[in-house]
Amino acid sequence: MTELSESHDDPFAPHLAALAVLDDRGVVAGWSRRAQELLGHPDTAVIGRPAFEILVDPGDLPAVAEAAAKCRRAGGWFGVLTLRHRDGQLVELGIRAHELSRGGGGREWFLAGAPAGDVLEWQRDRAVLDGLYRQCPIGLVIHGPDQRILRVNRAIERFSGVPAADFRGLSTGRLLLADDARKAVDRVRQVMQTGRPLVYSEQFVRLEQDPARERVALVSSFRMEDPSGRVLGVAEMIEDITERHRAQRRLALLDQVGSRIGTTLDVAETARELAEVMVPHLADHASVDLLQAVTRGEEPTRAVAGPVVRLGTCSVGAQQPGPPHPEGEPVEFGPGTPQAGCLAQGRPVLEPVLPPDWVSAAGRQGAQAPDLGAHSLIVVPLAARGLVLGVMTLWRSRRPDAFETDDLTLAQELASRAAVAIDNARRFTQQQQTAFALQSSLLPRAVPDQSAVEVALRYLPAGAGPGLGGDWFDVIPLSGARVALVVGDVVGRGIHAAATMGRLRTAVHTLASLDLEPDEVLSRLDDLVNLLAAEQEAVGERPLGEQVVGATCLYAVYDPVSGRCSLARAGHPPPAVTAPDGQVALLDLPAGPPLGLGGLPFEARDIELAEGSLLSLYTNGIIGQRHMDADVGLRKLCAALARPAGALERTCQSVVDALVPSRPSDDVVLLIARTRVLPPDSVASWQLPPEPASAGRARALASAKLTEWGLEHLAFTTELIASELVTNVYRYAGGPATLRLIREQCLVCEVSDTSHTSPHLRRARTTDEGGRGLFLVAQMTERWGTRYTRDGKTVWTEQPLTGTPV
């Protein structure tokens, strides 16, 4: 009953309409029961009487007379007339009249009437149905139960380019390519069998007669049934959304450019990301070629057409050949090629259809094609901030449709966005190179020659992350054959961190030259870091309360004479000691606060190291990589160091291989020192009492020892040095003196006492009786100085073992 009530049957159908027959004079000759229901007149009251008298109100006679005249002239008429009901009411009826021919030349008129509202509703339904087939912009396809096409509307004709009449009787999907036809058949069969409609199903519609043209349709399907439930077929509404689909694809590509391109500040990686975004959404093959200057981080010169380096390539399908030049290889664009013109002029090139002889035309154009099947080409410049950085080339070979103007516009937009990311990466590369140059100039280029330890080290700059770190290391020879080992890490990254590292390293050298204890060195460095932070704050380089300058540091002094090592650290990871038997332990040093907190104490610790022990200093980059917890890193470090004694360089490299990834996220410093101990026969020491005769005693002892060592040529100067220094102790210190001679790379002469008074070099006047001792000492030695201990001081001198001092 629902289907019957919703269906709008023809109101003039014989079982629904009021029927009447009039003769040529307008007399009623026939009257149906439905006519009696609508107008109230029984047939006995109207048959044989003029219809104008019974059925027409006097006020409506002119309109009825005009309709009758038109009917006689045309042989029929259709329209709405107002008739009079038996009870006097006026009723609007839709009237359809046509002529009936009788034998003998007489004429009669057959009239069918229905309520005007039903007629108007039926007319609207007919107009809608007619509009669906003739005027509707959305396609309509009617499939029969046998899945053959019964009828299509004109929108399908415009969409496909095939006349509507040619569709009739064709099987579903008959004109489509095989893949698209299969999907269309499955969809119609599913709706036919299940009765469940499909709404907005997306379908590629590629015709056999025009396979190069890609169309996309939005299809809604429903099953048709008669009132009894018999399946009559499937109707499909098909909307051409090709342009919308392309627009969505372009927006998706633009979104991918924003999310996938420029994820790193690496020029080559950005170029590869751009090529991968283009395929397969826009092209079958893509290549990105950048000027060589750009790959080096340099700013390209205007209007330069080469040379270029291919940094990004991508092709569809594993079996598809890629561009002939592999990534990273130089590419030479011959004169007349689209790429050369695009580089020189900065203008895009669109070749929708490449001619068959394109490979051999214009020199070496074809040499840049990915394969000989390429039939369409786009070349767009990669330009940012007014400079052309390179070109992106797109080919189509597998997809039959050619590039269009919209594709060129999209490629230009994508290239423009990617060029900004490439230029940002270029600028970052330039900044990195500047920072590396600065850092390289600030770090030691070679380990200085000294006898205390054998050193192997590794410095690895961060391969990822924004800018350089501030890690540094140093090996500083000290007086008395000792050596200072330093490893530090400045907080932050970039050029400022590298510059701060340079200032701290210079300060460490200065403090080391004063022969200060490790904890005192760190205290002085702490003061310097606070001073640097205050300077930056004073000129507005940092927000209030934000620490700009900070660092960690480990400072160790090793004495090869005694085999003792004094260490202190400021917030730095603890050093590791590997005994000669391979046992590894982390030294339990007081952690100390990082440099820059100010006012907090540092504490040193003295340990004895057996000859051949490994002392390993490092920065947290080696144990605190992103993929590894610091505790795990320390365990791995100890495991890598727990090996029998071997080549120090091999040990150092094995630690790096075990703990450091190929692209570390932070700078890495590893310094391993193997301790040495000077042989006892290379050191001589004597205790001298505080009396005038001690000077002569010092000369005699020094002369005898130098003769024993075969250094008689240094006896005169050494006797004089020892005599002057011991005399100063007797005259100014007032306590016993200790004379020590050390033979290593140079001859060291030391005199220690219990006083903290510092000796001063001055120029004596001609009338002075003294004051010339230290002046003579300075003239006869290569270096001299004073170092202080908790128990007093030591004045030391160094002389080369061969030649004479200058």
Side-chain angles (χ1 to χ4, degrees):
M1 294 299 295
T2 301
E3 289 82 353
L4 288 174
S5 63
E6 289 182 353
S7 63
H8 299 133
D9 295 337
D10 185 355
F12 294 110
H15 66 287
L16 295 177
L19 304 178
V21 177
L22 304 181
D23 63 15
D24 199 35
R25 295 173 300 165
V27 175
V28 178
W31 191 255
S32 71
R33 180 178 298 177
R34 179 61 176 160
Q36 179 178 338
E37 293 174 357
L38 290 178
L39 296 175
H41 299 282
D43 54 354
T44 56
V46 295
I47 292 177
R49 299 179 60 185
F52 283 80
E53 295 180 359
I54 303 171
L55 302 176
V56 179
D57 187 86
D60 295 319
L61 281 175
V64 174
E66 181 181 356
K70 291 179 179 180
C71 183
R72 287 191 177 94
R73 289 195 301 269
W77 181 83
F78 171 75
V80 177
L81 292 176
T82 302
L83 300 180
R84 186 172 59 191
H85 194 273
R86 181 180 181 183
D87 59 10
Q89 294 181 0
L90 298 180
V91 178
E92 284 191 337
L93 293 180
I95 303 297
R96 178 182 289 171
H98 62 270
E99 181 181 355
L100 294 176
S101 298
R102 294 288 187 183
R107 289 194 305 176
E108 289 184 344
W109 302 92
F110 181 78
L111 280 70
D118 292 347
V119 173
L120 291 175
E121 187 173 3
W122 175 74
Q123 284 182 312
R124 283 195 297 269
D125 290 347
R126 289 297 301 268
V128 169
L129 185 61
D130 186 69
L132 285 175
Y133 282 105
R134 299 179 182 276
Q135 299 175 351
C136 180
I138 299 176
L140 176 63
V141 180
I142 305 299
H143 304 269
D146 58 354
Q147 286 195 256
R148 290 188 175 276
I149 298 176
L150 301 178
R151 187 175 181 182
V152 300
N153 66 352
R154 291 181 179 176
I156 294 294
E157 183 178 273
R158 293 189 296 269
F159 179 64
S160 64
V162 178
D166 293 351
F167 280 91
R168 188 164 305 190
L170 294 178
S171 59
T172 299
R174 172 64 180 81
L175 300 179
L176 302 179
L177 293 180
D179 290 343
D180 298 344
R182 189 180 307 109
K183 294 177 182 178
V185 171
D186 292 343
R187 183 180 59 250
V188 173
R189 181 183 297 113
Q190 177 184 349
V191 174
M192 188 92 69
Q193 293 175 351
T194 65
R196 290 192 298 269
L198 292 179
V199 181
Y200 297 148
S201 174
E202 197 170 283
Q203 165 84 56
F204 282 96
V205 183
R206 293 168 295 182
L207 299 176
E208 289 181 338
Q209 66 182 23
D210 189 11
R213 185 180 177 189
E214 184 182 77
R215 301 170 179 84
V216 183
L218 205 61
V219 183
S220 295
S221 311
F222 61 93
R223 189 168 71 182
M224 301 181 297
E225 301 175 357
D226 64 10
S228 65
R230 184 167 57 96
V231 176
L232 301 178
V234 172
E236 291 190 314
M237 307 295 291
I238 301 176
E239 181 182 0
D240 184 2
I241 60 168
T242 303
E243 292 304 319
R244 187 194 313 171
H245 185 269
R246 290 178 179 175
Q248 290 174 346
R249 188 169 59 189
R250 294 185 186 110
L251 289 175
L253 271 178
L254 290 173
D255 180 66
Q256 287 192 38
V257 168
S259 60
R260 291 181 55 186
I261 297 180
T263 57
T264 65
L265 289 173
D266 182 88
V267 173
E269 183 64 25
T270 304
R272 284 191 289 271
E273 290 170 346
L274 174 59
E276 291 169 359
V277 166
M278 296 298 104
V279 178
H281 305 289
L282 187 59
D284 295 327
H285 313 277
S287 66
V288 178
D289 305 297
L290 300 180
L291 294 170
Q292 284 186 345
V294 175
T295 65
R296 296 191 297 265
E298 303 169 4
E299 187 169 293
T301 306
R302 297 180 182 273
V304 172
V308 298
V309 177
R310 180 151 295 173
L311 293 181
T313 60
C314 191
S315 297
V316 294
Q319 303 302 320
Q320 286 290 330
H325 298 275
E327 292 183 4
E329 292 295 323
V331 179
E332 195 69 36
F333 294 126
T337 60
Q339 292 89 344
C342 182
L343 275 173
Q345 302 175 11
R347 296 178 181 175
V349 176
L350 171 62
E351 294 285 350
V353 180
L354 295 174
D357 60 345
W358 182 79
V359 173
S360 58
R364 299 175 62 234
Q365 293 187 62
Q368 308 306 326
D371 60 51
L372 300 183
H375 61 80
S376 193
L377 170 72
I378 282 179
V379 183
V380 292
L382 296 169
R385 302 177 177 97
L387 295 174
V388 176
L389 310 176
V391 294
M392 177 177 68
T393 308
L394 306 177
W395 292 272
R396 281 185 179 173
S397 58
R398 173 180 289 188
R399 293 172 59 171
D401 51 322
F403 284 120
E404 301 175 351
T405 304
D406 288 344
D407 297 320
L408 177 62
T409 302
L410 176 60
Q412 285 181 275
E413 177 64 22
L414 297 174
S416 176
R417 296 191 181 192
V420 173
I422 291 174
D423 193 51
N424 289 339
R426 177 194 67 80
R427 292 180 174 219
F428 176 75
T429 301
Q430 186 179 47
Q431 184 185 34
Q432 285 286 82
Q433 291 173 346
T434 302
F436 277 126
L438 172 63
Q439 192 176 46
S440 298
S441 66
L442 296 175
L443 289 172
R445 304 199 173 192
V447 176
D449 191 20
Q450 43 77 41
S451 304
V453 293
E454 177 191 356
V455 175
L457 60 87
R458 293 291 185 274
Y459 171 77
L460 302 174
L468 297 172
D471 294 17
W472 91 91
F473 61 91
D474 237 321
V475 179
I476 308 172
L478 301 177
S479 63
R482 298 169 306 135
V483 66
L485 305 174
V486 190
V487 167
D489 185 359
V490 174
V491 175
R493 305 188 69 84
I495 293 180
H496 290 295
T500 301
M501 174 270 290
R503 299 175 76 173
L504 292 180
R505 179 172 177 256
T506 301
V508 169
H509 268 266
T510 302
L511 296 172
S513 67
L514 298 177
D515 273 323
L516 300 177
E517 295 292 328
D519 52 342
E520 183 65 20
V521 169
L522 295 182
S523 295
R524 302 285 182 91
L525 283 179
D526 185 53
D527 294 338
L528 175 62
V529 170
N530 280 298
L531 178 61
L532 295 178
E535 289 178 353
Q536 292 186 10
E537 187 177 50
V539 296
E541 290 188 7
R542 65 167 181 159
L544 185 62
E546 180 183 338
Q547 183 69 43
V548 171
V549 178
T552 65
C553 184
L554 174 61
Y555 188 88
V557 176
Y558 174 69
D559 186 350
V561 177
S562 64
R564 297 187 65 82
C565 184
S566 180
L567 310 95
R569 62 182 178 129
H572 204 80
V577 174
T578 305
D581 61 0
Q583 296 296 317
V584 181
L586 296 175
L587 289 184
D588 185 18
L589 289 182
L595 301 176
L597 295 184
L600 298 175
F602 300 94
E603 186 177 347
R605 180 185 172 191
D606 293 346
I607 61 171
E608 289 190 8
L609 296 176
E611 185 175 7
S613 299
L614 300 186
L615 180 63
S616 300
L617 286 66
Y618 51 91
T619 58
N620 59 8
I622 204 167
I623 60 170
Q625 296 293 330
R626 293 176 183 172
H627 68 284
M628 183 169 53
D629 181 76
D631 291 338
V632 175
L634 286 173
R635 288 197 296 270
K636 287 189 175 182
L637 174 64
C638 292
L641 290 170
R643 293 174 181 167
L648 199 59
E649 286 292 333
R650 274 204 312 270
T651 301
C652 193
Q653 187 59 45
S654 66
V655 173
V656 171
D657 294 341
L659 278 84
V660 181
S662 58
R663 290 174 60 85
S665 58
D666 193 7
D667 285 10
V668 171
V669 169
L670 174 63
L671 189 156
I672 303 179
R674 175 175 284 145
T675 61
R676 296 169 178 157
V677 175
L678 294 183
D681 60 357
S682 294
V683 180
S685 179
W686 303 275
Q687 189 83 16
L688 300 174
E691 58 185 29
S694 293
R697 176 68 175 161
R699 288 195 298 270
L701 293 171
S703 177
K705 181 55 68 174
L706 292 180
T707 300
E708 179 185 336
W709 286 344
L711 299 175
E712 295 89 346
H713 60 285
L714 297 177
F716 175 76
T717 56
T718 306
E719 287 180 20
L720 179 59
I721 292 169
S723 175
E724 289 295 334
L725 295 180
V726 170
T727 299
N728 283 342
V729 173
Y730 165 71
R731 296 177 64 181
Y732 303 109
T738 301
L739 173 63
R740 186 168 72 165
L741 296 180
I742 302 173
R743 181 188 59 177
E744 45 128 17
Q745 295 179 345
C746 62
L747 178 63
V748 178
C749 178
E750 298 180 343
V751 176
S752 303
D753 59 59
T754 58
S755 172
H756 288 88
T757 303
S758 175
H760 294 285
L761 179 66
R762 65 184 180 89
R763 185 176 297 278
R765 292 172 294 185
T766 55
T767 57
D768 291 341
E769 294 183 0
R772 297 178 179 85
L774 281 181
F775 180 77
L776 292 175
V777 169
Q779 296 300 310
M780 294 179 179
T781 60
E782 191 172 69
R783 289 198 314 150
W784 77 280
T786 305
R787 67 174 180 269
Y788 295 90
T789 65
R790 293 177 177 85
D791 301 325
K793 70 175 181 296
T794 298
V795 181
W796 54 269
T797 65
E798 292 181 358
Q799 301 175 75
L801 296 180
T802 58
T804 58
V806 179

